[in-house]
Amino acid sequence: EPPLTILDLRASLPHDNECLLTDSAHIKLSQLKTITLETALAMPNSVYETCKPYVGLFEKHAAANGMPPILLAAIAMQESE
């Protein structure tokens, strides 16, 4: 089974209060294939454009918690909708 990408994960999340990832979904960070947040921001019509002012914070806190910055950005975007 190919690894999930953070873009796949972001696209599959519901836009309401129902959570896709439940206790029965065991996804490890090592299973995610990610791109850098800067790469995602450079894409035309990037969905991460609203995250641009916070890239430094995402990088700082992601490094402190051992996760990719784009994952924090995706979570922040989902929670702010």
Side-chain angles (χ1 to χ4, degrees):
E1 179 174 323
L4 294 173
T5 68
I6 196 63
L7 295 176
D8 294 334
L9 185 59
R10 169 84 174 108
S12 67
L13 290 173
H15 294 286
D16 56 20
N17 291 331
E18 186 178 330
C19 183
L20 171 73
L21 303 176
T22 65
D23 290 337
S24 63
H26 300 283
I27 298 174
K28 298 176 184 171
L29 286 177
S30 61
Q31 294 174 290
L32 294 176
K33 179 181 175 189
T34 62
I35 60 173
T36 66
L37 189 49
E38 290 79 14
T39 299
L41 283 166
M43 293 178 173
N45 302 313
S46 175
V47 297
Y48 292 96
E49 190 63 34
T50 58
C51 295
K52 204 172 209 172
Y54 309 104
V55 169
L57 288 172
F58 290 131
E59 289 174 344
K60 174 185 174 183
H61 293 286
N65 290 287
M67 58 188 354
I70 198 165
L71 179 58
L72 285 183
I75 293 169
M77 291 173 58
Q78 180 64 27
E79 291 301 315
S80 68
E81 289 182 3

